[in-house]
Amino acid sequence: MAEVIAQEKQGGKQKKKMIRVDMTPMVDLGFLLITFFMFTTNFTKPNVMDLGLPAKDPNPSSIDTPVIGDQNQITFILGKDNRVFYHQSNQKDLNTGNLKETDFSGIKISKIIAEAYKNAPAPDKFTVIVKPTDEANYKNFVDMLDNLAISKKERYGVTDIKPWETKVYKELTQ
């Protein structure tokens, strides 16, 4: 650990004692403590949401996509400044009066989804479509997925906003 070395000074009566400290045990203890704290600490685990993805189609050439009616779906458009718009219209019927606005406070979106589901003619085909714009932020997208999980709707899709929807959206936001 520590050694005391006696060394005589030439020409003088005083004897100085030199102390040399061996740092090897201190370094060993430091590495043991670092190792202990690394193994006993809890690392943060990422929050993961399970997305239900469709199975791969073995016959991709025989795709027979069913048409979902306007009343069997609801479309949410995620915009800038935490704004959310929704509609149940097609290309011909969509206008600034049909594109309604809501926000993420409370359970408003879950209630809107539940109301649309209740009024759907074929509830087994009811689908929620999420269309984030380029100005939307990631937090709003995650909040939307959380609202889908709360409302327990397993049929949903995420896609790009269509040009005809962009036109109406721009009219409302400017």
Side-chain angles (χ1 to χ4, degrees), residues 1 12 41 52 55 69 97 125 136 148 153:
M1 292 267 210
T41 189
K125 292 183 182 178
L148 287 170
K153 298 298 173 252

Side-chain angles (χ1 to χ4, degrees), residues 38 53 58 73 79 93 150 158 163:
M38 283 179 60
L53 300 175
Q73 57 87 22
D93 297 336
I150 290 169
V158 179

Side-chain angles (χ1 to χ4, degrees), residues 35-156:
T35 306
F36 172 76
F37 287 119
M38 283 179 60
F39 286 128
T40 57
T41 189
N42 290 330
F43 294 107
T44 58
K45 295 179 179 130
N47 295 332
V48 178
M49 182 175 187
D50 189 24
L51 294 178
L53 300 175
K56 187 174 181 179
D57 190 7
N59 300 325
S61 62
S62 65
I63 296 176
D64 184 26
T65 56
V67 176
I68 300 172
D70 296 338
Q71 297 302 314
N72 279 333
Q73 57 87 22
I74 186 163
T75 303
F76 287 94
I77 299 173
L78 306 178
K80 65 179 177 179
D81 300 327
N82 300 329
R83 296 176 77 183
V84 182
F85 298 91
Y86 65 97
H87 69 86
Q88 284 186 290
S89 304
N90 56 25
Q91 183 175 356
K92 292 180 274 184
D93 297 336
L94 185 65
N95 57 35
T96 55
N98 294 351
L99 191 61
K100 300 173 190 119
E101 185 174 2
T102 187
D103 55 19
F104 288 106
S105 64
I107 55 171
K108 292 180 183 178
I109 292 177
S110 298
K111 285 182 180 180
I112 292 167
I113 293 171
E115 186 69 27
Y117 178 76
K118 187 174 79 171
N119 296 332
D124 58 327
K125 292 183 182 178
F126 182 76
T127 306
V128 178
I129 302 169
V130 180
K131 297 182 178 184
T133 61
D134 291 337
E135 297 121 3
N137 60 26
Y138 182 72
K139 180 188 177 305
N140 290 344
F141 181 72
V142 171
D143 289 345
M144 188 67 208
L145 290 179
D146 287 342
N147 279 305
L148 287 170
I150 290 169
S151 63
K152 296 184 173 76
K153 298 298 173 252
E154 295 180 5
R155 285 185 60 127
Y156 60 89

